[in-house]
Amino acid sequence: MSMLIEVWGDYACFTRPEMKTERVSYDMITPSAARGLVEAIYWHPGLRYTVDRIYLLKPFGLDPEDEASTEEYTQRPIQFTNIRRNEVKSTLLSSAALSAAKGGTPPVLYTSEDIQQRAAMVLQDVHYVIECHFDLTDKAAPSDNPGKFQDILRRRLRKGQCYYTPCFGCREFPANFREWPGGSIPALKVTQDLGFMLHSLDYSDSANIRSQFFRARLVDGVMECRDVEVFT
């Protein structure tokens, strides 16, 4: 069951894992971020989403002579901007939470000691269409079927319902969403090699969760995410 979901927002940060201290965003939304965004709208243990491709609806504001120049391009293209964000330098360990659940001292973070201001290079004025489909899992009930789940997802998209606010990488960057209204998606003459990008996380071994990467490419404004070669 394939779905087209339009998403847009003021800011986005899809953090590159190789940047340890300061956040630097990928040029495009990652497949894992796109799947998380859709799951925020509707999730059920009986289905599993797969992101097939992502359409770029606004070109990058890098080259004003680019062939993709449009009125929207010259007014509000997608571009990088720098902001400063408050983050904590410490993390709470799961072992500390488990100890607290057994009657130990609850873990705490002290704001005055742990808050730090860090720079972040984020995307501004993003606009995409996510094409995804779902498959039924072994946790689906006998009465579950693809048509039922598709109707629920479409109804939630139409009403703007979600389990929690979908976001573009960080919770303070909320995403607007709706079902693509129909018709062909406008093609942008943007072709670019985006380099290696995070594709997903492999949870097959819970004790050794591995990141999976793929060589991301934009071809006429479309990034293919399905049936691509992944690396761990």
Side-chain angles (χ1 to χ4, degrees):
M1 286 291 184
S2 181
M3 295 289 295
L4 292 174
I5 302 174
E6 182 181 5
V7 294
W8 69 96
D10 296 330
Y11 295 97
C13 184
F14 312 109
T15 307
R16 292 179 175 270
E18 64 267 25
M19 303 298 180
K20 298 297 184 182
T21 303
E22 313 292 346
R23 291 183 182 268
V24 178
S25 176
Y26 284 111
D27 297 69
M28 277 280 292
I29 182 173
T30 64
S32 58
R35 184 172 58 252
L37 194 155
V38 178
E39 289 177 345
I41 301 170
Y42 179 62
W43 179 85
H44 189 279
L47 60 85
R48 179 179 59 251
Y49 290 104
T50 299
V51 176
D52 298 320
R53 55 191 58 87
I54 300 172
Y55 298 83
L56 181 67
L57 293 189
K58 295 177 66 176
F60 303 119
L62 301 177
D63 185 0
E65 303 298 328
D66 193 280
E67 193 175 358
S69 295
T70 61
E71 182 179 355
E72 185 181 36
Y73 179 93
T74 56
Q75 290 179 355
R76 299 186 67 185
I78 296 177
Q79 52 190 333
F80 281 100
T81 187
N82 291 296
I83 63 173
R84 298 190 68 84
R85 303 168 63 246
N86 288 330
E87 298 190 13
V88 294
K89 63 181 180 180
S90 304
T91 58
L92 295 178
L93 300 177
S94 59
S95 57
L98 181 61
S99 175
K102 294 180 179 180
T105 303
V108 294
L109 286 178
Y110 296 100
T111 303
S112 59
E113 299 177 6
D114 286 296
I115 289 293
Q116 292 182 339
Q117 272 205 344
R118 293 179 178 174
M121 182 176 290
V122 302
L123 297 172
Q124 188 173 11
D125 298 325
V126 295
H127 199 172
Y128 312 106
V129 169
I130 301 170
E131 181 178 347
C132 62
H133 74 274
F134 59 82
D135 300 295
L136 297 183
T137 69
D138 55 1
K139 295 184 179 180
S143 60
D144 291 334
N145 61 79
K148 167 188 171 181
F149 287 137
Q150 188 179 55
D151 289 343
I152 294 174
L153 178 57
R154 280 183 168 161
R155 183 167 62 250
R156 295 177 70 84
L157 289 169
R158 185 171 61 252
K159 294 182 178 181
Q161 296 176 322
C162 54
Y163 291 124
Y164 53 88
T165 304
C167 62
F168 287 120
C170 299
R171 288 298 177 91
E172 59 264 46
F173 301 149
N176 303 293
F177 61 91
R178 66 173 181 175
E179 185 178 5
W180 179 249
S184 59
I185 300 175
L188 290 179
K189 294 182 180 179
V190 178
T191 298
Q192 182 175 333
D193 188 343
L194 301 175
F196 288 101
M197 177 183 287
L198 179 68
H199 185 275
S200 57
L201 296 176
D202 181 8
Y203 291 96
S204 58
D205 182 3
S206 59
N208 182 27
I209 301 173
R210 298 183 298 175
S211 300
Q212 296 181 320
F213 298 85
F214 76 115
R215 190 64 179 264
R217 294 180 177 86
L218 270 176
V219 179
D220 293 333
V222 181
M223 185 175 75
E224 293 287 342
C225 304
R226 186 184 180 190
D227 299 329
V228 294
E229 185 177 3
V230 296
F231 309 90
T232 56

